Amino acid sequence: MTAGRTRGVARPIRRFGDPVLRTPTDEVVDFDESLARLVEDMMASMYAAEGVGLAANQIGVGLSVFVYDCADASGERHVGHVVNPVLVSTDGDLDESDEGCLSVPGLYYDTARPSYAAVEGVDITGAPIRVAGDGQLARCLQHETDHLKGLLFLDRLHGRTKRRAMREVMSADWPDR
């Protein structure tokens, strides 16, 4: 992925085991310069980590915000942010594809998700927005809204895949562990 331009500062990504990843985030109530800086820092952090999405709690901020830069099924690129997102719709066949997470670096597992998703929320000014799509965009919207509820994609795994994933996560040798 090619890094986008941002004025933000890349912050460290929190890893599996950090309690902030399991704590539901708080609704944003102040739409000010600090929120705009947070979104810029989140974009910079996502690009630095070569990700396609990032939730605020992944950089240790307990606010309901995520950023994204990914393509839909047609290949059209979507870039933006959603404040106080609500997953309002999922539809389509279950797509069981490889999924990873910046907080679980280097590990990917087939994860079933609906092939279409729509999220509603607001932008950094408080104006209503809706982001909807299929393909990687749908997966990203679902993945990031899960993060804001204190869920990881690992929680969506079942059976042998989940057992294997947990063994690999627990034995991972991440630099900041």
Side-chain angles (χ1 to χ4, degrees):
M1 173 167 127
T2 304
R5 300 179 119 202
T6 179
R7 294 177 296 169
V9 174
R11 299 188 198 181
I13 305 293
R14 302 295 179 96
R15 304 283 191 232
F16 177 89
D18 190 317
V20 73
L21 297 173
R22 293 300 192 173
T23 305
T25 56
D26 295 326
E27 183 175 335
V28 173
V29 294
D30 294 323
F31 295 85
D32 55 15
E33 183 57 35
S34 66
L35 177 60
R37 275 194 310 276
L38 172 62
V39 168
E40 288 177 358
D41 287 356
M42 290 173 65
M43 293 297 283
S45 302
M46 177 184 69
Y47 289 132
E50 299 182 1
V52 297
L54 183 75
N57 53 348
Q58 289 183 274
I59 59 168
V61 177
L63 291 175
S64 190
V65 182
F66 72 77
V67 298
Y68 59 94
D69 183 344
C70 54
D72 61 21
S74 72
E76 182 181 346
R77 184 175 170 203
H78 298 263
V79 181
H81 68 275
V82 184
V83 178
N84 299 332
V86 175
L87 184 64
V88 295
S89 176
T90 58
D91 201 7
D93 295 332
L94 283 182
D95 173 22
E96 190 158 338
S97 296
D98 254 5
E99 189 167 327
C101 180
L102 296 176
S103 294
V104 186
L107 301 177
Y108 299 86
Y109 304 98
D110 283 345
T111 308
R113 299 232 189 225
S115 60
Y116 171 86
V119 168
E120 292 180 353
V122 296
D123 67 12
I124 58 173
T125 69
I129 56 173
R130 178 181 172 93
V131 182
D134 53 11
Q136 185 183 41
L137 178 60
R139 183 170 294 279
C140 179
L141 296 174
Q142 294 169 77
H143 182 108
E144 300 310 331
T145 55
D146 274 356
H147 267 302
L148 299 175
K149 296 175 189 172
L151 299 171
L152 296 170
F153 86 104
L154 300 170
D155 299 320
R156 301 277 180 199
L157 303 177
H158 301 283
R160 289 182 189 161
T161 303
K162 183 161 189 148
R163 288 190 295 276
R164 179 172 59 92
M166 295 314 297
R167 279 193 308 273
E168 291 175 357
V169 166
M170 298 313 289
S171 66
D173 187 26
W174 296 319
D176 54 351
R177 205 176 217 191

